[in-house]
Amino acid sequence: MSTPSFGLNAPQREAVKYMDGPCLVLAGAGSGKTRVITQKIANLIEEYGYESKHIAALTFTNKAAAEMQERIAKLLKDPKQAKHLTVSTFHSLGVQILRREAKELGLKDRFSIMDSDDCFSLVQDLAVTTDKQVIRRIQTAMSLWKNGLVDPDTALKNAADEDEAQAARIYRNYVATLAAYQAVDFDDLIRLPVELFRQKEEVRDKWQRKLRYLLVDEYQDTNTCQYELVKLLVTGLGKKPMFTAVGDDDQAIYAWRGATIENLKQLQVDFPDLKVIKLEQNYRSTTRILQAANAVISNNPKLFEKQLWSEHGLGDPIKVMAMQDDDQEAEQVAIMLSAHRFERRAKFSDYAILYRGNHQARVIEQALRKERIPYTISGGQSFFDRAEIKDIISYLRLIANQDDDPAFIRAVTTPKRGVGQATLEALGAFAGQWQCSLFEAVFKGGIEAKLNERQLNPLRDFCNFINGLEAHAHREGHAASLLDDMMKEINYEAYLYDAFDDRQAQSKWQNVIDFTTWLKEKGSGGKEGTDAEKSLLDLTQMVALMTMLEGRDEEPDAVRMSTLHASKGLEYPHVFLVGVEEGILPHKGDPDAPIATLGARIEEERRLMYVGITRAQRSLHITWCKKRKRARESVNCDVSRFIKEMKLDEGDAVPKEEEVLTPQNRLANLKALLQKTKAA
């Protein structure tokens, strides 16, 4: 049987066919790594006889996993086999393991997964502070400890100062509280399977027999915990480790969230027979763009030498423009983008404006709006992710499903109704003992021995209120009439005005009104009654699906604004990279950041610049400002060292400062272009 590897170049074909043990595919930007992974899975099934249920491919986003699954289905002779593959994020695989092995970890079958807001509230209570920066700093520290497989006692022992020691003590209480709640957080989804596999060899062997070949995408983004999970899944049972890791050390840009480039070094130590295959042909960009990217990244120490090359021709010169200030930068980018689009007869969606930090976006947005250029922003907050909307949704989730423990915790404490942390911990411990939900535990016999009357009464009042709403929902058949009663009873508007200043409260309350109005319209069949009436459960599931599936719809014809971090994995015909100055790119850095040294931080910032350059397919414009507003002051700026490292002055003469486009010369340019087009 022939290998399903049509259209692959020689290194890609070698990576697809290699089956003699562990393999690392060093896939440069735009070198077709997803194609290698999908073709290799097809090869495993159709040439090597692997059953699809024994293959797992791990990546970092749900979108990437869904796209991978679709592509594999198209490659297979029997597309149905793709349904039995495990193609998921690390965290989704962790959930799968925990659901099946809950009892081994002392969890009930229906344990809860706390979202970031739930965890924020828990840390806020444990830290006894309302300072959001302090709470988020503690959350970040705990996340890094969990991802580094550092337990609370070790964290406390190694604390560098009192702040870190205090965070470690809160970490210990946080872990105990989650256990009492029979709940896990996002980081636990990988940490707990690792601990389970370390402690119980028979469970690990079971999963090794289930997942016999492992493929890991974006391997350079793995943290200590994720790499340990990979190792535990592929070593043992007296067999050769069978896996393919695909990654690029030049695109390792997530040290700040615990990813470690050391995992690439460690692979060669842990797996001495590791086969390394380099993918250096780029299918995305022109030669000039790749030469600049190669020149920049050559300033970093290299784990593996590689040089990207392309058959797309030399391409347009890269333009570097110095601007007087950020207002002029934004205005000129908008004008140049508009003129460039007209000249190329391109779509708005062919363009991306990339920047180092979200704070750079506001002035650019204003300029785009002024020029009537449509745009979308990557990573913007979903309406459904706003705290006030999640508060209301937690009530709806609980009415629809009383076993939803995170919804119970959020609803019973927002607004506050006399239910504190100690009460919830005792309730959680009791629920864990009886393997039941927190809601059910409130009415279970024996709870009186754990909670006194003062603690129990508010809980029972709340649960009776939810029961009443549930009965109302069943009686009425649809959700619209329920919402007014619920909102009146919980008095959410008064809570907002007590908790926030008037301006914030008004904005949040307006969001709630908009949301409940929208729900009522959906619940009653829409504005014109064209849809069927929806039950409360229908509405709750609809909202959940909308939040989960965001970004899967067809992209609008609009310029994409994005941070460099959010742009990784994407590509655009034309890119404007803005704010390329010392202090922004490279970023001046946070002295408390987890990257240990200045040198390591600059190396990561250089990789970020490399990512930005390699997003561009056909043209790249780079801007920097001589002055920039910071906290109402105008400060002098220096051009980024990375622009010099691109070596643009070698070869083509590239302008260092473009003539500013005024409305007059812009009009003259357009007239000349129209004449040229007409003559042609």
Side-chain angles (χ1 to χ4, degrees), residues 303-444:
L303 283 175
F304 305 94
E305 286 295 336
K306 66 177 184 302
Q307 285 276 315
L308 294 181
W309 60 275
S310 164
E311 294 179 342
H312 284 312
L314 195 57
D316 295 347
I318 295 170
K319 294 191 176 181
V320 178
M321 290 147 282
M323 301 295 173
Q324 292 303 318
D325 57 31
D326 35 356
D327 286 330
Q328 189 194 63
E329 178 182 53
E331 180 183 323
Q332 289 298 300
V333 165
I335 291 172
M336 287 188 298
L337 189 153
S338 183
H340 192 276
R341 173 181 166 271
F342 183 83
E343 183 180 342
R344 301 295 179 101
R345 300 180 185 180
K347 297 181 293 184
F348 284 115
S349 56
D350 289 338
Y351 292 83
I353 301 173
L354 307 181
Y355 37 83
R356 176 63 177 83
N358 281 310
H359 66 280
Q360 295 169 259
R362 184 185 59 81
V363 66
I364 297 168
E365 281 191 81
Q366 291 170 344
L368 293 179
R369 283 199 295 267
K370 183 180 174 184
E371 291 293 318
R372 298 184 179 179
I373 296 173
Y375 64 90
T376 59
I377 298 183
S378 290
Q381 187 186 40
S382 159
F383 181 73
F384 298 104
D385 281 339
R386 297 176 190 274
E388 60 271 21
I389 304 304
K390 292 178 88 168
D391 287 343
I392 305 306
I393 290 173
S394 69
Y395 282 86
L396 301 179
R397 282 168 46 192
L398 192 58
I399 295 164
N401 173 21
Q402 292 180 354
D403 286 340
D404 190 335
D405 285 350
F408 176 93
I409 292 167
R410 187 172 192 127
V412 79
T413 56
T414 313
K416 295 199 178 295
R417 46 175 54 84
V419 177
Q421 197 66 40
T423 299
L424 286 173
E425 284 190 35
L427 182 66
F430 184 78
Q433 180 185 341
W434 289 98
Q435 289 285 295
C436 65
S437 69
L438 296 174
F439 194 102
E440 186 183 343
V442 171
F443 297 106
K444 202 164 188 69

Side-chain angles (χ1 to χ4, degrees), residues 496-679:
L496 288 175
Y497 278 94
D498 285 342
F500 302 95
D501 64 50
D502 285 358
R503 190 161 151 272
Q504 283 181 299
Q506 186 177 2
S507 172
K508 288 174 178 290
W509 180 240
Q510 187 58 52
N511 287 336
V512 171
I513 290 172
D514 292 345
F515 177 61
T516 53
T517 301
W518 176 79
L519 275 179
K520 287 176 190 175
E521 288 171 0
K522 290 289 183 185
S524 60
K527 285 183 179 176
E528 278 127 37
T530 53
D531 298 329
E533 289 185 350
K534 289 183 170 60
S535 70
L536 179 72
L537 185 58
D538 291 335
L539 284 179
T540 307
Q541 290 177 339
M542 180 185 69
V543 170
L545 282 172
M546 285 183 73
T547 58
M548 282 160 47
L549 298 177
E550 271 191 343
R552 295 300 306 280
D553 297 332
E554 192 174 334
E555 293 290 333
D557 184 22
V559 173
R560 174 64 62 89
M561 291 177 60
S562 172
T563 63
L564 286 165
H565 282 99
S567 75
K568 191 159 84 72
L570 303 175
E571 57 187 43
Y572 305 93
H574 311 291
V575 168
F576 285 79
L577 182 51
V578 302
V580 187
E581 300 143 31
E582 290 293 312
I584 293 182
L585 184 64
H587 190 254
K588 63 178 180 272
D590 177 356
D592 298 325
I595 307 175
T597 66
L598 175 64
R601 181 173 63 74
I602 294 297
E603 286 168 19
E604 174 140 337
E605 292 291 306
R606 188 174 283 116
R607 292 193 289 269
L608 200 54
M609 180 71 177
Y610 174 86
V611 165
I613 295 169
T614 55
R615 297 313 93 197
Q617 296 171 307
R618 296 291 169 266
S619 76
L620 176 62
H621 293 72
I622 295 173
T623 64
W624 66 280
C625 295
K626 296 175 180 178
K627 290 188 175 182
R628 189 173 291 275
K629 285 194 291 289
R630 285 186 190 145
R632 298 186 182 180
E633 287 186 16
S634 185
V635 297
N636 292 325
C637 304
D638 294 319
V639 63
S640 170
R641 70 192 75 184
F642 299 150
I643 289 179
K644 184 179 180 182
E645 290 177 0
M646 292 168 74
K647 297 184 178 177
L648 297 178
D649 52 346
E650 295 178 12
D652 293 295
V654 180
K656 290 292 182 286
E657 186 169 349
E658 291 281 305
E659 178 190 359
V660 172
L661 281 174
T662 64
Q664 289 80 10
N665 54 29
R666 182 184 176 204
L667 182 61
N669 287 350
L670 289 176
K671 280 181 179 176
L673 184 62
L674 284 169
Q675 297 258 340
K676 183 178 171 184
T677 306
K678 192 174 179 181

Side-chain angles (χ1 to χ4, degrees), residues 465-483:
F465 163 60
I466 296 295
N467 281 331
L469 290 174
E470 184 190 15
H472 183 167
H474 283 298
R475 189 170 59 249
E476 296 291 337
H478 61 82
S481 62
L482 173 76
L483 286 163

Side-chain angles (χ1 to χ4, degrees), residues 24 219-220 249 261-268 303:
L24 171 62
Y219 176 76
Q220 78 282 347
D249 50 325
I261 200 168
E262 293 299 315
N263 286 348
L264 275 164
K265 295 180 186 175
Q266 197 60 36
L267 261 186
Q268 293 179 300
L303 283 175

Side-chain angles (χ1 to χ4, degrees), residues 71-117:
R71 286 171 70 166
I72 294 164
K74 289 175 183 174
L75 288 171
L76 293 171
K77 291 176 183 174
D78 179 7
K80 292 178 184 175
Q81 289 186 83
K83 293 179 181 177
H84 304 295
L85 291 164
T86 298
V87 183
S88 73
T89 64
F90 274 91
H91 293 91
S92 295
L93 176 62
V95 171
Q96 192 184 135
I97 294 168
L98 291 182
R99 291 288 180 209
R100 294 196 188 183
E101 312 296 346
K103 287 182 182 175
E104 297 283 355
L105 286 157
L107 291 168
K108 63 183 182 185
D109 294 339
R110 293 176 299 188
F111 66 85
S112 301
I113 301 170
M114 308 275 274
D115 69 17
S116 58
D117 279 356

